[in-house]
Amino acid sequence: MSGLNLESFAENASRLGTRLQETISEHTRDLSIARASSAGYLDTPEEKVRLIRKQLDSNSDREKLDAMKRLIALISKGRNVSEYFAQVVKNVASHNLEIRKLVYIYLLRYAEQEPDLALLSINTFQKDLSDPNPLIRAMALRVLSGIRVPMIGSIVVLAIKKCAADISPYVKKAAAQAIPKCYSLDSSHQPELITIISTLLRDRSPLPIGSVAVAFEAVCPTRLDLFHQHYRRLCRTLIDMDDWGQVDLLNLLVRYARTMLPRPVITEDADGQSEEVDPDLKLLLSSAEPLFQSNNPAVVLAVARAFYYLGPPSEMKKIVSPLLRLLHISPEIERVTLSYILVVARSSPSLFTPHYTSFLVRTDDIRQVKKDKMQLLRLLISAENHQALLREFIYYADDSDDDLVADAIQAIGYCARLVPESTQQCLTALMSFIQSKHDPVVANAVLVLKSLVQLSLHHHQTLTIASTSGAYSPMAIISRLAYRIEEIRHPKARACVLWLVAGFFTKETPYVKLQTVTLAAKLLVLCPSDRTLGLLNRYVLSLARYDLNFDVRDRARMLGSLLSGVTSVLHSDEDGHEDQGGVVLRREQVKMVLFEGKQDVSLDTGIPVDDRHALLGSLSAVVGRDLTYDSYLPDWLEEGTESSLRDSEYDAPQVPIHAQPLPSAIPRSIASSSKNTPVILTPTGPSPSGSFVRQNGKSDWTDLDKFYAETESTEEEEGTEEEAVESDEEEADSNEDGDSEEEEEGSAEEPDTDSVDEGKGESEDVLHHAR
């Protein structure tokens, strides 16, 4: 017997395997056909392309559909197929839905290039605005608004108005997207378009709101009063919108809050600082905070922008972790995110100081990312992390990227000025860089040393460097640089050495010549009685006066006139110079002009001047220069507008929906049938034994026989109560016929309270078993 069962089981398994194999083969064949057909459309040969025009004029829907698929495939490959516009537009009224969809996709691509031919089918577009399919209605409006002919502006406005009242949110979104196109075509329709925008703002669906925000910014960006009644509802709708709609609406709500709501106020009290934040502003921030978890980086950046420009100081820390998370998604997102972090770190560097390791430069970083990271690391230097960052900067100085080398060496000098405890270590590194064979390293080290020496002389401090020969003073550093002047080839570095050591060289770049001429003038002012210095100054100015560079010539003429009152050596009668008129300055006055205020050095933050006032979320913060049509941010109002302006019917507190109470009386039909209600056994949970437990906690059942046995014993113990219940049920059964007749006659009779209560008790007992 067991052998027969095994044979039967094996036969059934074999049949099942064969059936599964046939099913898989059939589905694989369908997928292969679909894949082959898609590849065939994308790889359309030229002989097939020449047949497209004939297929579009065919009477067969199959031929037209095949031709349209080939056209869309060619468009996806970037090929211009506008030559088929006349044949395609004739099929816009096709009864085949698939053909019409593809025709509209084609028209959306080329309607702006062929407006005259598109006008021939304008009646069909208007007719399709009433099509049962919302996709066709939306596409018809998109094509109609894409025809760049001002004469149909009124028709487009009517079509937008009609679609704005459509029942489909998708069609309403298409209407909102058509508003900026219509406004750019003819701005005289602005009042009508504002009315449509107001209508769309009242819509409860979250789908079109993002497009409405874009339309508002394009048509009437200053009419923020339109949002008064909808502000709170839009804040609550943020979480339900699509990603890009959240970005557009958030930017608009930030501008509304800055214009209409009061600035958060920080007050001092006995317990410390307390913040007073407007409730409507709190609503916006609390509604936007969950969007920090969005998978779309643009949404996270928009929320960070909202918290940065609207939130009180205590809320700023919430933007740190989301921004750091975006750094590891892709190089492109990292580039934009770093620009956001730079803007925040310039005003609040303490937010990112604990996370400085996230901004260390990697070898595979692009050049702009390296530049932004170096700026960030300079902003995050503190007494706690300067040792680790100094090691990083010294390591970057050996990089092959000259820009990174320059930034790293300048960061070392900035660290020496910012953290006095690190001065010795910084100067030791800079002096070692002078011996490098890499010109950019030497040049930048000289530039930084020059600024440090200048700063030290101005503040009368002493710079010391531990070396084998002892400690170097500023003058020792200057002499060390002068000793290596022949090895320094960078023009700016040589000019710095000349500025420091008072050297003189005739064949130099214009930048070095300017410093040389200035140095000669300074020497003459310091010692006007020295004939050698006078002759030297005379020779230098005569060379500079006829130099090819106009900046050098102008500097020589300016200094020659300035020094005319210091000594007669410059304008002696031997040279045939005529006495120049005008005001002649005394030696003390000339000395003040050449020396006063020249020693003061402002700390270089390493941040371009244009970037210091860049707005978070603006394109200027990303590209590093001012743009004409960039976004702007309004200033805060001191008091804000009245909160009652934002009251609406949507703000009324909603009554919570609680579970409805059980009726006081159970119908007799239920009471009478409760005896036959099956008892359901409930598993105890993850127990692998499969045991069951009763909710009243009396005992646990492991099988069905024991359950029935215990049930019978329980019924015997409660025999008296069961007999009473059965007698009441019999009474209820005998009265059922009478009750049904009374119901047919339309009369109502009060139920028997005793029988109902007893039936209710038995029903509850059955419910206990069921649970």
Side-chain angles (χ1 to χ4, degrees), residues 515-533:
Q515 295 296 333
T516 304
V517 174
T518 306
L519 172 62
K522 290 181 178 179
L523 290 175
L524 183 62
V525 172
L526 291 176
C527 190
S529 60
D530 193 315
R531 181 174 178 80
T532 303
L533 291 179

Side-chain angles (χ1 to χ4, degrees), residues 31-204:
L31 292 175
S32 300
I33 294 174
R35 185 166 55 251
S37 61
S38 301
Y41 285 120
L42 291 175
D43 300 330
T44 304
E46 289 300 322
E47 54 270 14
K48 292 286 187 179
V49 175
R50 287 192 290 268
L51 294 176
I52 290 178
R53 198 182 305 272
K54 182 178 178 181
Q55 288 179 308
L56 291 173
D57 294 333
S58 173
N59 294 327
S60 172
D61 286 349
R62 182 177 179 181
E63 293 291 330
K64 292 180 180 179
L65 183 59
D66 184 74
M68 289 305 306
K69 287 182 178 179
R70 295 189 186 278
L71 283 178
I72 301 303
L74 291 173
I75 291 175
S76 66
K77 295 174 65 176
R79 182 166 175 175
N80 185 6
V81 291
S82 58
E83 56 184 299
Y84 302 99
F85 192 91
Q87 287 75 28
V88 173
V89 78
K90 292 189 299 184
N91 296 295
V92 72
S94 175
H95 296 287
N96 190 309
L97 183 60
E98 295 297 325
I99 295 177
R100 290 172 66 188
K101 289 180 181 179
L102 295 178
V103 168
Y104 272 117
I105 293 175
Y106 179 92
L107 294 178
L108 288 174
R109 176 67 176 81
Y110 293 108
E112 294 187 9
Q113 300 180 14
E114 301 287 345
D116 296 334
L117 291 176
L119 282 175
L120 298 177
S121 301
I122 193 170
N123 292 332
T124 304
F125 301 149
Q126 290 181 284
K127 182 181 177 181
D128 285 345
L129 293 175
S130 303
D131 192 90
N133 192 328
L135 181 62
I136 297 297
R137 298 199 300 270
M139 284 189 168
L141 179 61
R142 291 177 65 185
V143 174
L144 193 60
S145 61
I147 302 176
R148 309 296 295 175
V149 178
M151 61 181 296
I152 66 169
S154 301
I155 297 176
V156 176
V157 171
L158 292 176
I160 294 174
K161 186 176 182 180
K162 180 178 181 180
C163 291
D166 198 279
I167 60 174
S168 172
Y170 182 75
V171 179
K172 293 178 181 178
K173 182 177 181 179
Q177 293 173 345
I179 291 176
K181 298 180 182 179
C182 182
Y183 180 73
S184 63
L185 186 65
D186 188 358
S187 59
S188 63
H189 297 292
Q190 185 187 34
E192 298 170 333
L193 296 177
I194 292 177
T195 304
I196 297 174
I197 290 175
S198 301
T199 302
L200 291 172
L201 283 174
R202 290 193 292 270
D203 190 73
R204 301 298 299 271

Side-chain angles (χ1 to χ4, degrees), residues 149-303:
V149 178
M151 61 181 296
I152 66 169
S154 301
I155 297 176
V156 176
V157 171
L158 292 176
I160 294 174
K161 186 176 182 180
K162 180 178 181 180
C163 291
D166 198 279
I167 60 174
S168 172
Y170 182 75
V171 179
K172 293 178 181 178
K173 182 177 181 179
Q177 293 173 345
I179 291 176
K181 298 180 182 179
C182 182
Y183 180 73
S184 63
L185 186 65
D186 188 358
S187 59
S188 63
H189 297 292
Q190 185 187 34
E192 298 170 333
L193 296 177
I194 292 177
T195 304
I196 297 174
I197 290 175
S198 301
T199 302
L200 291 172
L201 283 174
R202 290 193 292 270
D203 190 73
R204 301 298 299 271
S205 174
L207 182 61
I209 297 299
S211 300
V212 175
V214 175
F216 177 86
E217 293 283 7
V219 177
C220 50
T222 59
R223 290 291 309 275
L224 293 174
D225 56 291
L226 297 177
F227 283 84
H228 285 328
Q229 298 292 325
H230 314 290
Y231 170 79
R232 293 166 183 163
R233 177 175 58 83
L234 292 177
C235 290
R236 300 185 184 101
T237 309
L238 268 174
I239 194 67
D240 299 321
M241 297 173 58
D242 61 285
D243 291 350
W244 296 108
Q246 291 170 343
V247 174
D248 296 326
L249 184 59
L250 264 175
N251 293 334
L252 183 56
L253 291 177
V254 167
R255 194 158 62 85
Y256 177 89
R258 296 270 297 195
T259 306
M260 298 295 178
L261 303 181
R263 181 200 299 264
V265 179
I266 302 176
T267 57
E268 298 285 347
D269 52 17
D271 299 332
Q273 291 184 347
S274 62
E275 298 172 344
E276 297 180 5
V277 185
D278 187 81
D280 288 329
L281 186 57
K282 280 186 178 179
L283 174 63
L284 175 56
L285 295 177
S286 61
S287 301
E289 186 175 354
L291 301 183
F292 274 130
Q293 309 301 323
S294 175
N295 292 328
N296 191 329
V299 177
V300 179
L301 294 176
V303 179

